[in-house]
């Protein structure tokens, strides 16, 4: 943004519900702050116009370092930027603020920053609720599918045993009924797996939208749902984090589906009363997430093909759960979209650990 018409900019700002601003970089003051500043920040404009550092006292404690990094970035780069952070107003009310910053360059030098500040609290809270509902929906689908598939698979196996032993040879009515039961079980197992795969595939096709997110909170919420259901799943779930809060830019809906899918795979290949553990570690510039189990592991000859679509590495679960050969390929694609890496260590009959490392 090399030029700015101050008169037009200020006229628009005077009538807008968003904050319009012009910040003088060298003089360190706001040459313009629109009237919308006062209802959003709930303090008089005059208090901060010539004392911009006062604004930092309103920034949420967890976001102050982030805001300072953002300010340093936009005052040292000839590029527009968009940032989000939280402020704490009177009586402890937290608001979510989105700032769009545009540099004004004169004679090759950055002289001013113009910008627009929006209060996006309502949309952020709505997104949080949607993401939480979506994460719980995915977890619930996996849990329900396990609860339904396992008994259906056992019924199908029992019926197959009766048919193969020829106990009812010559009794056509009984044989027809047993065949009908077996077919219905297999059809419903297929229906359940199709439903899970469809949800995961559809999510991976939607455009990615990364936002600064507390990874610990999101993953803890997913694991908590599994821990609540662990008596029905007959597995032990554990969550460990090196920090109480860890922020990273992710698409929460998609990334939590990755975590869900890895946990679902662990359930599939871990014996009854086995252990599944999720660990989150802060590595300064990146976050490392580990999903491990003490299940049957991955045979060495299949390991090189695990992340391929329709891979030869796909196997049935311990209770006959289907594998469509797409899950791990989609997981890798979503991790790649987050500029991250995924790898694993596994030993047959000793379990597996999957590692995901993403930049903060």
């Amino acid at each position: 943004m090399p030029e700015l018409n101050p008169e037009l900019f200020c006229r628009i700002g005077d009538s807008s519900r968003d904050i319009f601003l012009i910040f003088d970089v060298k003089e360190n003051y706001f040459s313009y702050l629109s009237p919308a500043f006062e209802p959003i920040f709930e303090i008089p404009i005059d208090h901060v116009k010539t004392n911009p550092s006062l604004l930092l006292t309103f920034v949420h404690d967890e976001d102050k370092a982030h805001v300072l990094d953002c300010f340093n970035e936009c005052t040292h780069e000839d590029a527009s930027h968009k940032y989000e952070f939280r402020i704490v107003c009177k009586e402890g009310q937290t608001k979510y603020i989105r700032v769009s910053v545009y540099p004004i360059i004169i004679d090759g030098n950055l002289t001013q920053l113009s910008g627009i500040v929006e209060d996006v609290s309502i949309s952020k809270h709505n997104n949080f609720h949607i993401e939480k509902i979506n994460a719980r929906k995915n977890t619930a689908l996996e849990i329900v599918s396990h609860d339904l598939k396992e008994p259906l698979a056992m019924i199908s196996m029992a019926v197959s045993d009766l048919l193969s032993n020829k106990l009812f040879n010559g009794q056509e009515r009984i044989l027809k009924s047993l065949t009908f039961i077996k077919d219905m079980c297999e059809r419903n197992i297929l229906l359940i797996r199709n439903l899970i795969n469809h949800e995961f595939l559809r999510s991976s096709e939607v455009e990615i939208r990364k936002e600064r997110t507390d990874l610990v909170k999101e993953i803890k919420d997913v694991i908590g749902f599994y821990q609540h259901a662990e008596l029905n799943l007959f597995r032990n779930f554990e969550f460990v984090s090196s920090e109480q809060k860890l922020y990273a830019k992710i698409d929460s809906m998609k990334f939590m589906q990755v975590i869900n899918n890895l946990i679902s795979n662990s359930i599939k290949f871990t014996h009854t009363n086995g252990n599944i553990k999720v660990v989150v570690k802060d590595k300064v510039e990146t976050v490392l997430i580990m999903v491990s189990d003490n299940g049957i592991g991955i045979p060495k000859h299949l390991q090189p093909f695990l992340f391929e679509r329709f891979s030869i590495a796909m196997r049935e679960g311990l209770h006959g759960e289907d594998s469509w050969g797409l899950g791990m390929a989609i997981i890798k694609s979503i991790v790649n979209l987050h500029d991250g890496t995924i790898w694993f260590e596994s030993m047959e009959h000793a379990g597996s650990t999957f590692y995901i490392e993403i930049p903060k």
Side-chain angles (χ1 to χ4, degrees):
M1 191 174 179
E3 295 181 4
L4 178 73
N5 184 330
E7 185 180 348
L8 178 61
F9 186 81
C10 296
R11 283 176 61 189
I12 296 171
D14 288 343
S15 60
S16 175
R17 291 184 179 181
D18 298 327
I19 302 169
F20 280 56
L21 64 88
I22 302 174
F23 179 74
D24 205 301
V25 176
K26 288 187 177 180
E27 300 298 327
N28 193 38
Y29 83 103
F30 290 103
S31 56
Y32 175 71
L33 265 180
S34 69
F37 175 83
E38 292 190 0
I40 291 177
F41 277 80
E42 300 176 15
I43 57 168
I45 289 175
D46 293 341
H47 286 193
V48 297
K49 204 166 185 181
T50 57
N51 186 19
S53 60
L54 183 64
L55 286 172
L56 193 61
T57 63
F58 289 86
V59 177
H60 195 290
D61 287 342
E62 293 174 8
D63 293 352
K64 283 182 179 177
H66 171 61
V67 168
L68 289 170
D69 287 342
C70 295
F71 180 74
N72 184 61
E73 181 180 56
C74 65
T75 53
H76 288 83
E77 291 185 9
D78 178 11
S80 59
H81 295 281
K82 188 172 286 187
Y83 306 109
E84 286 188 7
F85 56 89
R86 292 166 291 178
I87 61 170
V88 182
C89 301
K90 291 179 181 177
E91 300 177 2
Q93 182 190 6
T94 299
K95 293 181 179 179
Y96 288 83
I97 301 298
R98 179 181 295 144
V99 184
S100 302
V101 184
Y102 308 94
I104 300 170
I105 309 297
I106 298 176
D107 297 328
N109 297 314
L110 175 65
T111 59
Q112 293 176 313
L113 295 171
S114 62
I116 300 172
V117 182
E118 307 166 71
D119 180 355
V120 293
S121 302
I122 293 174
S123 62
K124 289 293 287 187
H125 285 301
N126 288 343
N127 281 341
F128 286 150
H129 287 304
I130 291 168
E131 286 169 5
K132 186 167 282 191
I133 289 167
N134 188 70
R136 289 191 172 183
K137 177 263 294 180
N138 292 329
T139 309
L141 279 173
E142 290 292 352
I143 291 169
V144 169
S145 79
H146 181 274
D147 287 348
L148 290 174
K149 281 192 303 178
E150 191 162 323
L152 286 172
M154 294 193 67
I155 292 168
S156 179
M157 286 172 62
V159 172
S160 295
D161 185 55
L162 290 173
L163 290 170
S164 64
N165 285 334
K166 301 179 181 180
L167 294 175
F168 301 102
N169 278 1
Q171 302 183 50
E172 290 302 318
R173 187 173 176 181
I174 294 176
L175 288 172
K176 277 187 179 179
S177 296
L178 289 173
T179 303
F180 175 76
I181 292 169
K182 185 175 182 294
D183 290 344
M184 287 300 292
C185 286
E186 291 175 354
R187 190 179 302 173
N188 280 282
I189 290 169
L190 184 62
L191 180 66
I192 292 163
R193 181 41 54 191
N194 277 340
L195 176 63
I196 301 297
N197 284 342
H198 176 69
E199 285 294 310
F200 194 44
L201 280 167
R202 190 172 63 177
S203 172
S204 70
E205 293 165 359
V206 180
E207 188 177 345
I208 195 165
R209 184 175 181 270
K210 292 193 282 188
E211 292 183 329
R212 187 168 177 264
T213 305
D214 181 2
L215 262 176
V216 173
K217 181 178 179 296
E218 295 292 319
I219 296 175
K220 193 174 183 179
D221 194 51
V222 171
I223 288 291
F225 210 66
Y226 279 105
Q227 287 172 328
H228 184 70
E230 65 183 8
L231 290 177
N232 294 327
L233 293 171
F234 304 106
R235 311 288 190 283
N236 304 304
F237 296 91
E238 184 182 359
F239 175 66
V240 177
S241 174
S242 64
E243 307 291 333
Q244 287 190 334
K245 291 179 181 289
L246 266 177
Y247 288 94
K249 271 199 164 187
I250 61 168
D251 184 313
S252 183
M253 286 190 186
K254 286 188 180 59
F255 200 79
M256 289 309 110
Q257 275 200 287
V258 167
I259 303 300
N260 256 316
N261 204 260
L262 288 175
I263 294 171
S264 175
N265 283 344
S266 288
I267 294 171
K268 192 190 298 185
F269 296 109
T270 301
H271 291 288
T272 300
N273 297 320
N275 301 315
I276 297 167
K277 184 177 182 180
V278 180
V279 178
V280 180
K281 282 187 177 180
D282 184 4
K283 296 190 71 180
V284 186
E285 296 296 327
T286 61
V287 179
L288 180 66
I289 301 150
M290 294 171 278
V291 180
S292 60
D293 61 63
N294 61 347
I296 62 172
I298 304 165
K300 203 159 189 175
H301 70 280
L302 295 179
Q303 292 183 13
F305 311 101
L306 192 67
F307 293 113
E308 293 180 0
R309 292 175 74 88
F310 303 106
S311 168
I312 62 168
M314 60 185 183
R315 300 176 292 163
E316 282 191 350
L318 295 178
H319 298 282
E321 299 95 336
D322 293 317
S323 176
W324 290 72
L326 285 169
M328 295 309 300
I330 294 172
I331 284 173
K332 192 174 192 307
S333 296
I334 293 174
V335 172
N336 288 343
L337 286 171
H338 285 82
D339 302 313
T341 53
I342 181 169
W343 69 99
F344 65 92
E345 295 173 354
S346 185
M347 187 177 294
E348 202 166 1
H349 310 301
S352 304
T353 300
F354 282 84
Y355 301 86
I356 299 173
E357 188 167 7
I358 58 168
K360 284 185 181 178

